[in-house]
Amino acid sequence: MVERSPWLTAFCYLVLIIGAAIVCVPLYMSFVAGSLDYVRLQQMPFPLLPGGHFWENMVTAWNRVDFSRLYINSIIVTVGIVTGKIAVSLIAAFVISYFRFPFRMTMFWLIFISLMLPIEARIIPTYEAIADVGGPLRELFRITGISWLVETMTGYRIEMALNWNFINTYPGLILPLIASASATFLFRQFFLTIPDELCEAAKLDNAGPIKFFKDIVLPLSTSNIAALAVILFIGNWNQYLWPLLFTTDPEMRTVVLGLSHLVPGPDEPPAWNLSMAAAFFVMLPPALVVIFLQRWLTSGMVDSGK
Amino acid sequence: MLVSSDSSTIREGAPWRLPASLFTGLRARFGAQSSEGLKAAHFARPGIAIVLLAPQLLILLFFFYIPAYKALSLAFVQTDPFGLTTMFVGLDNFMRLFASPEYRFSASLSLVFTFVQSVITLSCAALLAFATDRVVRGKAIFKGIILLPYAIAPVASGTIFAFVFNANVGPFANFLHELGLPWNPALRPLDAQILVVVAAVWNHLCYDYIFLVAAMLAVPRSLMEAAALDGARPVRRFFTVTLPLIMPTFFFLMIMNLIYGLFDTFALIDTMTQGGPAASTSTLVYKVYQDGFVQLDLGSSAAQSVVLMAIAVVFTILQFRAVERRVNYGV
């Protein structure tokens, strides 16, 4: 810095050490608790050093809620949301910033208004929409008379065919979370900074929009895509409310739900050692991402906050 | 990290500094409003454009517009428990909602909780960011550690805090008991509320921290040096140079914290207290879930959804304004 002031530097280190301790101590305590057996956990002077049962507790917890299945679910859902959201919003942002077409601004606003409502504010109606995805289409066909027409002509009832229930399915867990414009907004902001000359040059070389997108825009966006993927991965791995509402079948739950299932309730035996051991492997994938991809994480966070 | 707001800066025109109002004026006069945000070099292929835009629009239609419309329409009707008849009741659901003491309690609880949580989070994050900005050795390690909770699922941190503060087995609770405090979040409402605030601060601190560190890094060194030459000590420089320059980030984070406190604490509350004891930690979002999914009171729950949506819209507008103001000082 500009001048030396040892007291202030010492104070700063003190602050940072306290901050790091506040972060680490609860984590360490949970690790210690996860390594104790059930009897030792109940005895009051809480040990400062971990016991030897961590692996055993992890195995017990893993088997109790069938985490093998939940891990597969979590991976499918998270990867689905991340790739789906990035693909859909990358293309939409490209169209919004690089195409002139009728009602462009209408489309723009239709997309960006959805930034306004977080999923927490509309859980119940979205739940209904998922439980009956075909509902609006049926309604449309009924009002326009198409279903009557088809039924009298072919004897085929459209109502039956359009009874899609997405509860307990992967699309139900993935699609509603793709429906947010934040990523579109982010990519649009980025596209606005790409020099116009690139597009002009591409057009001079007779490249169509698809080729321009594939050969120029996509390579330029890789760092943004990586940063966003990191953020989305963490956020969606940790997602709780949506899978909670959405899965009645234990086979379709995600790991985060499995963990909440292991939290001992008031009238259950307080097997906190199991839930702490489970917390460890539930936190592991995003923690690894934060530790090893920190550069992408910070730039992604600061960018997507906009 | 300096990229924090480069995109908007470049768009707002570094090379020729024409006032933005001029453009808006011109646009309004010539009615060329549809070219806003359109690249100067662009394609005019409406067919491809619509096809490419279709996935996003369809997803939004099915999972955003139709649900939002349904919530709005449900909020004004009364449905019998079997879903057979519906009757238009106007603002009745809202009247009932605002008259209900539980809802009022929940609303004021959310407000107080959100406010307390934001203030604590922001001031701790500012202190830590200030310290991080000053130290040289070990900076990356401290940053890495403080950032760690960002990776941790709210459910996981809820579980951890529920354990360490558990009145029977938790080490922190035991420590409080030894100090002579009758700590028990399962029975005492205030303890439960404190627990939720502590866990929320712990979980959200890293977010504010990383933004403030990025903002402080973007403060021009030359300004700091000039202030130092004028005899301002580090703490004074923080308040007179750094703080005014990072004020937009502060404002932005304040809004983000309010959004977090109002909407994103569901998982924490559900794992730690389930809204209890005696509904003392049942915030607005938790109550929507309880009334809609547990009690199945659809009319009231839809009205609550609409209230939440209104709050969300207000906050989003505020957030947009905050982003606009988050200017870059040309570093």
Side-chain angles (χ1 to χ4, degrees), chain A residues 14-271:
Chain A
L14 186 70
V15 166
L16 285 177
I17 288 168
I18 293 174
I22 289 174
V23 169
C24 290
V25 169
L27 289 176
Y28 179 70
M29 291 288 182
S30 74
F31 172 66
V32 172
S35 68
L36 297 173
D37 59 22
Y38 184 66
V39 179
R40 182 63 191 87
L41 185 78
Q42 317 295 323
Q43 293 163 3
M44 225 357 159
F46 193 79
L48 290 176
L49 292 174
H53 298 272
F54 196 70
W55 184 254
E56 196 185 310
N57 286 337
M58 280 218 306
V59 172
T60 317
W62 184 281
N63 291 329
R64 183 169 293 183
V65 202
D66 188 17
F67 268 104
S68 318
R69 176 65 204 249
L70 304 194
Y71 243 82
I72 296 173
N73 289 345
S74 266
I75 290 169
I76 292 177
V77 169
T78 312
V79 169
I81 294 172
V82 172
T83 48
K85 196 161 174 164
I86 287 179
V88 162
S89 50
L90 196 60
I91 295 171
F94 176 67
V95 173
I96 288 288
S97 35
Y98 273 104
F99 279 88
R100 177 187 286 282
F101 56 95
F103 299 110
R104 193 177 141 272
M105 280 322 269
T106 319
M107 300 293 178
F108 178 86
W109 285 114
L110 277 178
I111 292 175
F112 289 109
I113 282 174
S114 69
L115 277 175
M116 296 238 172
L117 297 179
I119 200 147
E120 287 82 3
R122 51 188 163 93
I123 42 178
I124 285 147
T126 313
Y127 178 84
E128 288 181 350
I130 293 290
D132 185 12
V133 181
L137 279 180
R138 275 206 310 275
E139 195 75 356
L140 179 75
F141 288 157
R142 195 178 58 75
I143 291 169
T144 52
I146 294 180
S147 59
W148 174 82
L149 200 69
V150 172
E151 201 182 328
T152 43
M153 305 266 281
T154 63
Y156 180 73
R157 284 182 66 96
I158 259 182
E159 271 87 353
M160 295 306 184
L162 285 174
N163 243 331
W164 302 324
N165 185 345
F166 274 12
I167 305 277
N168 287 325
T169 61
Y170 290 123
L173 285 166
I174 293 172
L175 288 176
L177 295 174
I178 295 180
S180 140
S182 51
T184 315
F185 192 63
L186 185 70
F187 282 125
R188 173 182 170 268
Q189 294 293 86
F190 169 66
F191 290 161
L192 290 173
T193 68
I194 296 180
D196 275 329
E197 286 78 5
L198 287 178
C199 184
E200 277 158 16
K203 281 164 100 177
L204 277 182
D205 290 343
N206 248 341
I210 306 287
K211 192 164 175 53
F212 172 65
F213 177 74
K214 199 168 59 105
D215 289 348
I216 296 177
V217 175
L218 208 53
L220 281 176
S221 320
T222 40
S223 68
N224 283 53
I225 292 175
L228 192 67
V230 167
I231 298 288
L232 289 177
F233 175 81
I234 295 173
N236 287 302
W237 181 273
N238 294 343
Q239 180 78 26
Y240 175 61
L241 180 56
W242 197 243
L244 172 72
L245 299 182
F246 243 76
T247 48
T248 47
D249 179 3
E251 289 279 284
M252 289 302 295
R253 288 187 309 209
T254 59
V255 286
V256 169
L257 279 177
L259 173 61
S260 80
H261 201 70
L262 277 177
V263 176
D267 351 300
E268 293 165 37

